[in-house]
Structure formats: C-alpha cells, structure tokens
Amino acid sequence: MADTMKPYINNALNLKFREQPRKTNMALLKCYNYEPYPEDDEAAAEEETSLIKAGYMTPSRVSKLPVSDVSEAKRAHSLGKVHEENCRMQLAHESYTFAIEFDSSNHQYYIDRATLLHKVGKHGDAMKDLLSIEEGARTLEVIKLGGKILTSLGAYTKAEQWLRSSLKSEDEEIFYLFQVARTKRLYQPLNTSRWPVKVRFTEETGKGMFAEKKVPIGETLFRDTSVISAQTIDSAKVSPACAQCSRSLLRPEDYFQSKWLELSERQKEIINTHWPVIKISPCLHCNREKYCGKLCLDAAWRQHHQFLCPAKNPAAGPLYDFCEKGENICPGKWNSIFSPMILARLWSSMVSVAKLAMFDEMLEAPSAENWNVAGMPYKGFVSSGTNGYAQTVPEMVQMMANIFKNTEAVLEITDEEFERRYYQVACNAQSFSSTLYASLIFGTFMSRILNNDKDGKEMEDILQDMKPPTDQVFGGLFQFQSCLNHSCAKNVDVIDCQFTANLAGIEVQATRLIEVDEEVTTSYVDTSLPRSTRRAWLQRAYNFVCNCKRCRFEGDDGSVCCQCHAKPLPPVKWFKACGRCLRAWYCSPTCQKKHWKAGHKDICVDPKKPQIPSPAATAVPTLDANDDLAKDLLHEPDVFEDIIADRDSMDDFGEEFATKVKITEVPAEIEKCTPDAEKATAKVEEVTAHAKDVTAETKEVIEEGGKSSTENGEHTAKVKEVTEESQEPTAKVTEVTEESQEPTAKVTEVTEESQEPTAKVTEVTEESQEPTAKVTEVTEESQEPTAKVTEVIEASQEPSAVNGEHTA
C-alpha cells in the first residue's frame, strides 16, 4: 500500500484550493444550458465501456474482519482525518481502510477514502469506493465527489449524467461542476488544437478562455467562423453586401444614389470603366436577397433562405419590409442594434436540419430528438437577460411566429423561445465582415481614375466631393469567440479575417504580452467611456456589473476617495484626480501612493496620449486582376479545420480604412546611427571583435583615403566593401576604445534619387553632439585613436568611379 501511494502524496499539496469557498453565483450559473444532447446516451456508453475495461466501474473489494468493531472503526477514522490534515496521505489511507474493514456499513468512511484518493490523483480507485455506496443512499456529497472524479477521468458525459439527477436540489456546486464537465466536453476540439488557448469554466467568471503559453503582442490566438450571421439594419441600408459571405457589392449607383441620375452619360461611362467589376446573383424567386455568385446563393438557400424567401413563404415579406426601412428602434417591433434577420436565419437553419431528419426517418413531423439535434450548434451560447422582453416587441414575436407556421417542419415561436434566442444573440453576437470592404472597392476606383490623366481631368469636379463609403457590417455567432469574457483592460483585438474568397471570419490577436494561464479578454463596450457609463451599458446589455481590474482601480467621480472611500469634508467639495488618467480621485498623497501600488499603476493610461498599435499580422486587403480578393491574403481552409472538424492601394483613404478594420501597415525599417553605442540601431554585417583586426582595417582605410584621384584631380577618401552576392558597396569604419571595447559602426546610406551609394563615416564629438566625418588612425604605441582625417568633396556630392572602384 505504501508503494502505491508515494507517487501521489505531493499532488495533494497543490489541491488545497478545492477547499476554498465558491465565488460563483446562481444567477450566472443559470445562464448556461443544462439540457442533454442527442448523442449523450451513445457517448456515455462509450465512456462507460472504457471505464469498465480499466476496472473503475466495480465496487471496491473490502477484507471484512470476522468481528465488527464500531468504536475501533471510529478511532481509525479520526486518526485518518488527523493524518490527512497534516498531509500524511499514506497513513491517512491506511487508517481509512482499517475503518472500513472494522465497519463496512458506514458510508462516510468510503466517502473520506474516495476524497483522499481523488486528491492524490488515484481517480479510478476513488470511483470504485463511491460505487460501493448503494444508489439510493448517495447523498449530495457523494454526487458532487462523483462528478469531480468522472470529470478527472475524462468521462465528461458520464459526469453530466451523474450530476443531472441532483440539479433539482438547486445546489450551487452541483451546477458549477456540471458546467465544468460540459465546458471540457464541448471545447475539447479547441483545447487540443494548435492554438495557444484553452476554454475552462472558472469560479470567478464562468466559462472563459486562458492562454496556455506566453503570447507576444501581435500574435494570433485563434481564428473562427460564424455559425449564423446577418447584416446589421443600418449597414444594409447604405452598404450592400452578399447576404451569405458578407463581401461588399457596392456599385456606382449604390455609392452615388440619387446623384447618379444627375451625371452625364460620359461621366457614367468613365466611372463604370474604372469601377471594379461587381457580380450580383439575386435570389431567383424573390429578388430580395443578393449574393456574390451561385456558390453563396446555393449555400444560403440550403441553410435558411428556402424558408424565408417571400416568394415561397409570403409571411416572410413583412420581415424584409421592416429590415429595408433601416430602423433599429421601432416601438412594438424592435429596439436592438443587430438585425432581427439573424434570429429568423437561426430558426430557419434549425428547421432545415429538422426537415431533413424528418424525411430521412419518414415522419409526419419532426420528433423532439430531431429538434434537439437541430439546435445543437446554438447550445453553447449563453442566454442571459430579464424576463418579459418579448412583451416589449409583440409585433416582431408575432411576425416570427407567422413565418414558421408556414414551413414544412413547423416550429412554434413562443415568448419563451423568442426571449431565449434573442438573448443568445444579444449576449454573443460579434460584428465582422469580409475583407472585401466597400472602402476597398472605392479606393481601387479612385486609384485607377487618378492614374488616368485624361479621365481624371474630366472627373475633377466630381472627385473633389467624393468621400469613402461606409463599410458593410455583419453580426454573427462564433462558437469560440463567444468564450471571451469582457474586461475594460482587454488584452486582445478581434479583427476581420478571410479564409477563402467565400468564407469570412474573425481573427483574435494579442494587443499586449499575455502571460501563461492569464485569461484572454476582449471589450464589449467603448472603453474610453467613464466607469459609471461602461457599467451602465454592460448592466443593460449583458446583465452584469463589470468588476475587472480597471473598474476596481478607477472611480466614478471626485466625491469619494478611491483608496479609503472617504468623502470630502467642507470646504473641500471634490477630491483631486490622478494627474495621468484623470479617472481616480484621492483625499491625500498617501492614499494615492497606496492605490498606485495596489494596482492602479497597471491600468493608468494617459487618455490624451495615442496608444501604440499592435503589429497586426493581417495585411491591408488588395484586389487581383479580376477585381477579386488577392489570393495571397487568404488563409488556407485546413487552418480552421484544426479547430472545428465538422463545420464547414488606398492612398489618402488608407489611414481611415486601416483604422476602421484595425489593420496597421508595417512601416519600413529605418536605421539610424546614434551617438551612444548602446542605442545604435545600424546593423553592420562584419565587425571584427579583436582590436588588432580593427586597427589593421583602419590603417588600410587611411592608406586608401590618402591617395588622390588623378582622373578628377580631387582628393577622395575611399571607404568601400563590395559583397559578392549583391555587388553593392557598403562603407564600414570601426572604432574600438579600450574602455568599452564596443565598435560604433557607421553604414552607407543609398539615396533613391541617384541610386548611387554615398559613403558616410560619422563620429559624434562630445563637444557638439553632432556627427562629423572622421577617419581614425590607431597608433601602435598607445592603441588609442590619435589621428583624424576629414575630407569633404566640395565640387561634387556624388561618387565617382576610379579604376572600377566607388569613391566618396
């Protein structure tokens, strides 16, 4: 027994956190889904088979003593408790075993030994102890422990089934353990992928995403595609796009709108000549949905449009009429930023799956299991909000109910169903679009017409008034992105991403260094707003009060000290604010210092100082010769398959465009020589480390510099080095002092105007701190620089070639 326990004793020292009180609350836990999935029985059977093969599903075998001794069993049990509290796990296990042998009818002895075995990592033996307790005698304590053990064994479906029977008890820990098992089960594909993140269920924030390794700024954490999406109401009104893949379909008449009719035929001809070719494939039946091609048209029809096409389902007509008005707020109908079309498409996708299952099983109507399967893609999304929202938009509820009464697989839209799906979208929708933006199409047009002198001159008056269009915006549900929790001090940005020409998604990039096991967070609101406004928006839209680090170390106003929470006394009416961020107030310098050390320094940012953008890996999109997205900017499809295997030149406008899509161009590297050797950024290809070699090289340069050119009659200093690969000259002069033994390298700068090398040898003097051209000679006696030679060519600033060599 001793040998089998030793490898696990140290594990128990790291598991004391399990004894800490819970921080989760029932309001948060009840936002998640607890319904069984269609494949639960099959998955549980497979897990049970694996556990049986491992020998973990049989009760523990106990060597009962001939005579039962209850008092001796109690004494052994008490001794085991003492050993366990002092982390003497081996002795504790022996004591609990003796207690069971003396009195095998006491279930508490099995529970305590199972708890000990679970702590030290022997989960299989712990499960056998729990199975020794009859099913009818299993208390909540046994159910909780069994859920933990099964989750540790990787039997997540069995853990859910084990815990589900006790959900009616309204015990908070039961709900928490259930979601821990479900989260590990649902997000196993992501947790085993190549991305450096994992999804876990925590006590503090519920479901969240955490870094598995250090993630540097600008690195991609993961990419994701939407389960369902639709263009926002206000965006659809001004920026037409493909209803399926979200790429812009902006044509000249869409951009100019009413002004298009005022243009002359010649002007229209010029605009059409330079405008990128936009191909549009409308729905063949209703002509109210537009797509970029047949591929998107067919995909949309299969997924949802077959039930929403007004030509096939007239009840859907009012929905399209409402969306085309472009009104986000309409009393009795709608009052959200996203489009009700995304709800209609969500239900339509469910009806599509249920219809196929119904026909496959030759049923007259879909069964409950069919609907369960149809709703699978949406069960991972949290739904949190106040009851009664359906009563504020009764016309929209009735509109949706009418639509799905006329489908082949009838879906009843009740107030409860409407609110559930509405809050799923409201709590999880992420804005995105294809990287073929409307502004990209417009920028390409402007670039072409401005490069044509004749047409550009004819259109000069019109071009002066032309401004970049509004880019298209879609709202979508993303399975993995929805795991990102909110923080007002976020550490990632969510940007648009293009997988293929017809598949857009999102890419999540780090905005700062993310440490191992740090939670990955984004922001749900505008973080430039005051704390009170941010919290109000989050409470209204997402039903929670933010308590992130920034909110903890900021204040609402100067009426309260952020450190000691004191209020000002007359004649003081308002405390002084932090001099940098102006978002925290203090009654004294002492409180400010304490608050700074406690955590304010981590979130204190000057709002007037522009933040350095992260080096985004995504390049600015361009169009190829066929006016399509350049293929070199598309991600290969197999990259996304690692996550989900079962789911299918802007010129003046460049800055504004890059800001909208959070894309920054990587500037050309600029190398500068600074007076301080430690700050020098110039890269010297070959610098000798030994002073003798440097001295020899310097002498050679001086000897060459002392020569005169007979062809031009001018004294020139020759500093040259030509590599065999590039055949380009680079001038290098190295100076090494005995104090620092560090070379200061000066490199050649080649101007684009002359395309000729100009050799520069600079040294900064202590008196002027300005670079002057000097050539240093090192004497053999002192090994220190003693001679300085400076020559300036006054007649010509361009290099001349003498005997086939470049000279300055």
Side-chain angles (χ1 to χ4, degrees):
M1 185 185 301
D3 293 336
T4 60
M5 290 294 295
K6 281 183 180 179
Y8 306 98
I9 291 176
N10 291 333
N11 292 351
L13 301 177
N14 299 323
L15 297 176
K16 290 187 177 181
F17 69 88
R18 299 189 182 191
E19 307 300 328
Q20 296 177 356
R22 318 210 57 76
K23 298 180 182 179
T24 336
N25 57 74
M26 286 298 291
L28 172 64
L29 290 169
K30 287 192 173 181
C31 293
Y32 296 92
N33 178 41
Y34 295 87
E35 296 177 3
Y37 289 166
E39 72 280 7
D40 277 8
D41 292 337
E42 183 179 351
E46 292 178 0
E47 292 173 355
E48 186 171 0
T49 300
S50 300
L51 294 174
I52 291 173
K53 288 182 179 179
Y56 297 152
M57 295 302 290
T58 55
S60 299
R61 294 182 180 179
V62 180
S63 300
K64 296 182 181 181
L65 297 177
V67 180
S68 177
D69 192 333
V70 176
S71 59
E72 192 66 25
K74 289 182 178 179
R75 191 187 71 82
H77 178 258
S78 299
L79 186 60
K81 283 286 187 182
V82 174
H83 289 320
E84 184 176 356
E85 289 175 0
N86 291 278
C87 292
R88 296 191 290 266
M89 301 303 178
Q90 174 184 326
L91 296 175
H93 184 268
E94 293 175 354
S95 297
Y96 289 147
T97 302
F98 287 144
I100 293 173
E101 290 176 349
F102 279 118
D103 185 7
S104 59
S105 62
N106 193 324
H107 296 157
Q108 190 60 45
Y109 301 159
Y110 288 100
I111 294 173
D112 290 341
R113 188 171 73 169
T115 303
L116 173 68
L117 291 168
H118 175 54
K119 281 184 179 180
V120 299
K122 295 182 72 79
H123 310 300
D125 292 339
M127 194 66 213
K128 292 167 68 175
D129 273 355
L130 291 189
L131 292 175
S132 300
I133 303 173
E134 297 81 2
E135 186 173 352
R138 293 171 187 169
T139 61
L140 278 180
E141 184 181 8
V142 175
I143 298 299
K144 294 175 186 178
L145 182 57
K148 294 177 184 178
I149 294 171
L150 288 170
T151 301
S152 299
L153 289 170
Y156 306 129
T157 311
K158 286 290 294 181
E160 288 183 22
Q161 292 183 342
W162 180 280
L163 294 164
R164 184 176 285 111
S165 59
S166 299
L167 288 175
K168 294 180 180 179
S169 67
E170 294 291 318
D171 186 278
E172 187 175 303
E173 190 173 3
I174 294 289
F175 282 77
Y176 168 78
L177 293 173
F178 185 97
Q179 288 303 326
V180 169
R182 172 153 288 189
T183 301
K184 290 186 176 182
R185 172 188 175 189
L186 289 180
Y187 297 96
Q188 194 68 18
L190 176 64
N191 293 345
T192 57
S193 71
R194 65 183 183 87
W195 302 116
V197 290
K198 272 192 176 182
V199 178
R200 299 204 299 264
F201 198 90
T202 66
E203 299 178 358
E204 293 80 8
T205 59
K207 183 173 61 178
M209 188 173 291
F210 297 83
E212 288 291 292
K213 68 173 186 178
K214 279 190 176 182
V215 182
I217 181 173
E219 183 171 316
T220 298
L221 281 83
F222 66 92
R223 301 188 183 100
D224 201 358
T225 60
S226 64
V227 179
I228 200 73
S229 65
Q231 192 169 8
T232 59
I233 293 177
D234 51 354
S235 170
K237 188 176 181 180
V238 297
S239 187
C242 175
Q244 181 66 12
C245 72
S246 74
R247 62 191 298 164
S248 177
L249 299 178
L250 186 70
R251 299 171 298 176
E253 50 267 40
D254 299 317
Y255 174 79
F256 289 96
Q257 296 184 356
S258 60
K259 292 182 179 180
W260 180 252
L261 300 177
E262 301 174 6
L263 300 178
S264 66
E265 292 301 321
R266 172 58 181 163
Q267 290 172 332
K268 291 181 180 179
E269 181 184 354
I270 293 174
I271 292 174
N272 286 324
T273 300
H274 298 287
W275 198 273
V277 177
I278 303 298
K279 300 176 182 179
I280 297 180
S281 298
C283 172
L284 301 176
H285 306 284
C286 66
N287 201 35
R288 303 192 75 166
E289 289 277 29
K290 294 178 174 58
Y291 306 96
C292 61
K294 190 175 184 302
L295 184 64
C296 283
L297 187 152
D298 292 341
W301 183 265
R302 289 193 301 270
Q303 186 186 35
H304 54 77
H305 191 59
Q306 59 178 312
F307 306 110
L308 297 177
C309 179
K312 299 291 184 180
N313 186 354
L319 177 63
Y320 280 91
D321 294 338
F322 172 78
C323 293
E324 288 173 0
K325 290 181 180 179
E327 298 178 359
N328 282 323
I329 299 177
C330 184
K333 283 189 176 181
W334 196 247
N335 60 356
S336 296
I337 200 169
F338 60 88
S339 172
M341 188 62 72
I342 191 172
L343 284 175
R345 291 182 178 179
L346 185 154
W347 282 312
S348 294
S349 66
M350 293 175 57
V351 172
S352 178
V353 174
K355 170 190 167 184
L356 292 176
M358 177 183 70
F359 288 163
D360 186 55
E361 298 175 13
M362 294 183 291
L363 302 174
E364 294 183 359
S367 63
E369 184 178 354
N370 295 151
W371 286 118
N372 203 357
V373 172
M376 274 291 294
Y378 308 105
K379 288 191 175 181
F381 296 105
V382 175
S383 178
S384 173
T386 56
N387 295 329
Y389 176 77
Q391 298 175 9
T392 65
V393 287
E395 294 181 44
M396 184 58 67
V397 177
Q398 187 60 48
M399 193 182 299
M400 294 294 183
N402 292 338
I403 292 174
F404 294 100
K405 282 180 182 177
N406 296 330
T407 55
E408 294 174 86
V410 177
L411 176 62
E412 184 180 2
I413 306 298
T414 62
D415 285 1
E416 182 182 357
E417 173 67 13
F418 184 91
E419 288 185 5
R420 177 189 176 192
R421 300 302 179 185
Y422 171 85
Y423 284 126
Q424 278 189 323
V425 176
C427 294
N428 298 280
Q430 168 67 40
S431 61
F432 80 107
S433 80
S434 165
T435 53
L436 203 160
Y437 304 103
S439 54
L440 173 61
I441 294 174
F442 175 77
T444 304
F445 162 75
M446 292 296 290
S447 177
R448 291 175 180 177
I449 197 169
L450 291 176
N451 288 331
N452 188 302
D453 295 336
K454 181 181 178 181
D455 292 346
K457 190 173 183 180
E458 288 188 47
M459 297 290 293
E460 185 175 0
D461 294 338
I462 297 177
L463 294 178
Q464 290 178 355
D465 298 330
M466 295 179 67
K467 297 180 180 180
T470 301
D471 287 325
Q472 73 277 18
V473 178
F474 278 63
L477 296 180
F478 297 82
Q479 285 189 344
F480 298 127
Q481 178 275 335
S482 64
C483 298
L484 295 178
N485 285 320
H486 165 83
S487 173
C488 298
K490 64 177 182 178
N491 52 24
V492 297
D493 269 339
V494 181
I495 64 174
D496 296 334
C497 172
Q498 197 76 28
F499 292 94
T500 66
N502 297 97
L503 180 60
I506 58 170
E507 182 172 312
V508 177
Q509 292 183 351
T511 57
R512 62 171 176 80
L513 176 66
I514 302 176
E515 298 292 342
V516 178
D517 213 36
E518 180 181 353
E519 185 173 8
V520 180
T521 57
T522 186
S523 178
Y524 298 170
V525 296
D526 182 0
T527 55
S528 65
L529 297 171
R531 185 181 74 164
S532 57
T533 308
R534 298 196 308 266
R535 282 182 162 179
W537 272 105
L538 291 168
Q539 178 67 43
R540 179 177 180 272
Y542 299 97
N543 204 31
F544 73 90
V545 176
C546 182
N547 196 35
C548 68
K549 190 170 187 179
R550 181 178 170 186
C551 287
R552 293 198 306 271
F553 288 97
E554 280 188 0
D556 292 332
D557 53 47
S559 62
V560 178
C561 175
C562 291
Q563 174 61 26
C564 68
H565 307 292
K567 295 184 178 180
L569 298 175
V572 179
K573 296 182 179 180
W574 207 258
F575 289 135
K576 293 183 178 180
C578 170
R580 179 190 289 176
C581 68
L582 306 177
R583 294 290 177 86
W585 291 263
Y586 307 100
C587 62
S588 65
T590 302
C591 278
Q592 184 176 12
K593 290 179 181 178
K594 290 181 180 179
H595 200 245
W596 178 264
K597 292 180 180 179
H600 183 68
K601 64 179 180 180
D602 297 329
I603 56 93
C604 185
V605 178
D606 186 352
K608 297 180 180 179
K609 186 177 180 181
Q611 300 300 307
I612 301 175
S614 60
T618 307
V620 175
T622 58
L623 298 179
D624 61 17
N626 297 321
D627 290 332
D628 206 345
L629 281 173
K631 293 183 179 180
D632 58 340
L633 294 179
L634 302 181
H635 296 287
E636 293 298 328
D638 58 357
V639 171
F640 189 68
E641 291 175 1
D642 291 341
I643 305 177
I644 307 177
D646 60 341
R647 193 182 348 147
D648 271 9
S649 47
M650 296 296 294
D651 297 330
D652 295 338
F653 310 99
E655 182 177 357
E656 180 177 352
F657 170 61
T659 303
K660 286 183 180 180
V661 297
K662 299 181 182 178
I663 294 178
T664 56
E665 295 182 356
V666 180
E669 185 178 0
I670 301 176
E671 298 181 353
K672 297 180 180 178
C673 294
T674 61
D676 190 351
E678 294 180 355
K679 297 180 180 179
T681 60
K683 296 181 180 179
V684 182
E685 295 180 0
E686 297 178 357
V687 178
T688 175
H690 302 287
K692 292 182 181 180
D693 295 339
V694 174
T695 304
E697 182 180 351
T698 306
K699 287 181 178 180
E700 180 180 356
V701 171
I702 296 172
E703 291 175 1
E704 291 180 342
K707 296 180 182 180
S708 61
S709 172
T710 58
E711 293 185 6
N712 56 24
E714 296 177 355
H715 293 285
T716 60
K718 300 180 182 179
V719 183
K720 66 185 185 67
E721 178 179 354
V722 181
T723 62
E724 294 180 359
E725 295 78 10
S726 65
Q727 296 299 317
E728 296 178 2
T730 59
K732 300 182 181 178
V733 176
T734 306
E735 175 180 356
V736 182
T737 62
E738 291 183 353
E739 291 78 13
S740 65
Q741 294 297 319
E742 295 182 358
T744 59
K746 309 299 184 283
V747 301
T748 299
E749 176 181 1
V750 180
T751 63
E752 295 181 359
E753 292 77 12
S754 63
Q755 298 298 320
E756 296 176 356
T758 59
K760 295 182 180 179
V761 182
T762 60
E763 178 178 358
V764 180
T765 62
E766 296 179 357
E767 296 79 9
S768 64
Q769 296 299 317
E770 297 180 357
T772 60
K774 296 186 180 180
V775 180
T776 303
E777 176 179 357
V778 182
T779 62
E780 297 179 357
E781 292 77 13
S782 64
Q783 294 297 318
E784 296 180 356
T786 58
K788 299 182 180 180
V789 181
T790 305
E791 292 186 18
V792 179
I793 304 174
E794 298 178 354
S796 173
Q797 294 298 321
E798 298 181 356
S800 59
V802 180
N803 297 327
E805 297 179 352
H806 293 280
T807 63

